[in-house]
Amino acid sequence: PPNALTEPNDVVVAPNGEILVAEGHAGQNANAPPNTVARISRFTKDGTFIASFGKLGTGPGEFRTPHALAFDRRGRLFVADRGNVRLQLFDQHYRFLEEWKQFSRLSGIYIDKNDMLYGADSESSPSSHPGGWKRGMRIGSAKDGKVMYFIPDPEQNPTSTSAAEGVAADAAGNIYGAEVGPKAVRKYTRK
């Protein structure tokens, strides 16, 4: 049924008031069955189901675990497509615009009022997710996708999830990482 959610990962309110829910955590596994849920579901502000978009896959508008959602000032939807190691960008009508791979394998994203994008990569490792990515947080521009800063995972040799999965920033420039493994929130301040 349209009101039943499957493995929800994140929720965000769109500029028009719609509620979007990212669904499908199991799709990041290489052996995920073809019927694995991997979608974004839309609801009115009072919770009435509107529609879903996306499916399991690697093409534009397809997902392998849509793990986090955020909107920029232009109203574009950013989806952290964790299993595909990319961000997918959609317009205000949820049509695919482009993909960005430079932020790595993101579990969490946050975009501030100045369109700075904060991305939390808690899963990358040389053995399980090739590509040379390092766990940590990447900060850059939601306008053009340029990555400007990297905060490495505080754990030097992680054997399980240690870096932040969730990320946010405050008006003073402090960055907060929600760390699943340690079950803690870590605050990063500017030097």
Side-chain angles (χ1 to χ4, degrees), residues 39 60 64-65 80 89 95 116 133 151 164-165:
R39 66 183 174 216
R64 294 191 70 79
T65 300
L89 284 66
R95 293 180 297 232
M116 285 298 290
W133 295 111
I151 300 170
E165 280 210 16

Side-chain angles (χ1 to χ4, degrees), residues 108-124:
I109 52 175
Y110 173 75
I111 300 173
D112 72 15
K113 65 180 181 174
N114 297 314
D115 277 342
M116 285 298 290
L117 189 152
Y118 302 80
D121 178 349
S122 63
E123 304 298 313
S124 286

Side-chain angles (χ1 to χ4, degrees), residues 44-59:
T44 63
K45 59 184 170 185
D46 68 358
T48 303
F49 177 76
I50 299 170
S52 294
F53 66 93
K55 64 180 183 173
L56 184 69
T58 59

